[in-house]
Amino acid sequence: MSTPTPLDEPVPDARLTAPLEPPATGTITVAFLLSPQAELVDFAGPWGVFEYVQLDDGHNPFTLYTVAATTEPVRISGGMVLVPGHDVESAPPPDIVIVPAMDLEQVAPEALDWLRRVHQDTTVTMSVCNGSFVLGQAGLLHGRSATAHHAGHNTLRALFPEVTVIRGARFVEDGKIATAGGLTSGTDLALRIVERYFGRAAAQQTASYLEYQSTGWMHPDRNGPFAERAASTSGHPVCPVCEMSVSPDTPLTHEHEGTTWYFCGTWCQDQFKTAPERFAAAG
């Protein structure tokens, strides 16, 4: 778990507090798991971080690859189509796995099996945004603390009640599981991992080269705007699933134990109906 510090003070250099040791030979292998509707920002940010690390001797210590259930082209967010570099049978053993948000209903069982298998030997298994749902689906979050995109906090808690959901965090570390908040939080978590391996100066040099202005990797608790659940009233209702503001005139409502719940869309309404008591408790 990350240790809270005053918001104006960075946490100590992770190389001193939570160090990771590079392998004795070879490079640090980083696998990016792909599946339909994988969120581009979630893995492009970390990919850029690991791609542009340069140590004092001029070499990059990371080897990157993409992996999916098969090597058939995958349509990800925004309609982009990518060809995975490996399928789950041919992929090299990874030191780090990165799991972006993706469509849970389209994640192949083979991909979840691969994730469970390689997690046993990874140094870090990392999710970004609602990629934590995939970790939960694979059974890797049981009894752990985790975070997600701020619109996914309630759903993560409802779908996986055995997970302690942390709000207001750029990232959460629990053992070798690390979960980032929404989208750009993944870039901060990747810089944090660089720092754990090679120290703060290496992470700062990487951020500088990328012209990345956030210092979130040194301030894991600085997601304050999302630390508290949005208040919902009859005049200004909030969707209990994604916490989006909803018009009180919406026809998308559901009665549960004497309370009228309002929804921003049919997907959220359907999710709520599958486990109303869990979403009500999450709120």
Side-chain angles (χ1 to χ4, degrees):
M1 289 286 294
S2 305
T3 302
T5 59
L7 290 181
D8 59 344
E9 295 181 15
V11 296
D13 188 326
R15 180 66 191 159
L16 304 177
T17 60
L20 297 174
E21 295 302 325
T25 60
T27 58
I28 303 165
T29 304
V30 187
F32 293 76
L33 183 63
L34 298 181
S35 185
Q37 297 306 310
E39 172 53 56
L40 174 62
V41 174
D42 290 356
F43 66 88
W47 184 289
V49 168
F50 293 121
E51 178 185 3
Y52 285 105
V53 174
Q54 185 171 305
L55 302 184
D56 291 340
D57 61 5
H59 88 281
N60 183 301
F62 296 96
T63 297
L64 317 179
Y65 70 84
T66 53
V67 58
T70 73
T71 54
E72 292 296 313
V74 178
R75 187 174 296 276
I76 64 167
S77 65
M80 180 180 286
V81 177
L82 296 181
V83 179
H86 295 275
D87 62 27
V88 293
E89 299 301 325
S90 68
D95 298 300
I96 300 168
V97 173
I98 297 178
V99 181
M102 54 187 72
D103 185 344
L104 275 186
E105 295 182 357
Q106 296 190 66
V107 178
E110 296 88 344
L112 294 176
D113 289 342
W114 177 84
L115 187 56
R116 296 184 194 101
R117 184 171 69 250
V118 300
H119 171 68
Q120 298 176 35
D121 297 312
T122 61
T123 301
V124 178
T125 300
M126 163 183 163
S127 68
V128 183
C129 197
N130 291 343
S132 52
F133 292 22
V134 182
L135 298 188
Q137 190 93 329
L140 302 183
L141 293 185
H142 192 90
R144 295 189 179 275
S145 297
T147 195
H149 187 277
H150 63 272
H153 290 154
N154 286 346
T155 305
L156 182 62
R157 184 180 287 111
L159 293 180
F160 307 104
E162 70 282 0
V163 177
T164 300
V165 179
I166 306 298
R167 291 177 174 266
R170 292 297 282 174
F171 56 84
V172 173
E173 296 169 307
D174 190 340
K176 65 178 183 178
I177 292 284
T179 54
L183 299 159
T184 61
S185 299
T187 300
D188 286 323
L189 181 50
L191 286 165
R192 164 76 175 185
I193 291 172
V194 172
E195 186 176 288
R196 292 180 68 186
Y197 274 111
F198 302 109
R200 180 149 296 170
Q204 288 179 320
Q205 178 178 296
T206 305
S208 178
Y209 188 84
L210 292 170
E211 300 188 15
Y212 184 64
Q213 299 300 307
S214 171
T215 57
W217 87 90
M218 297 184 287
H219 298 272
D221 299 311
R222 193 176 281 177
N223 241 14
F226 311 117
E228 300 294 333
R229 172 172 163 71
S232 183
T233 66
S234 58
H236 300 280
V238 169
C239 176
V241 176
C242 71
E243 301 188 36
M244 182 180 292
S245 294
V246 183
S247 168
D249 299 324
T250 179
L252 299 175
T253 63
H254 182 73
E255 298 291 329
H256 176 68
E257 294 188 347
T259 298
T260 300
W261 299 86
Y262 301 80
F263 304 94
C264 63
T266 55
W267 186 89
C268 286
Q269 184 182 44
D270 292 342
Q271 288 295 307
F272 185 91
K273 289 179 178 179
T274 63
E277 64 289 340
R278 291 184 182 176
F279 280 103

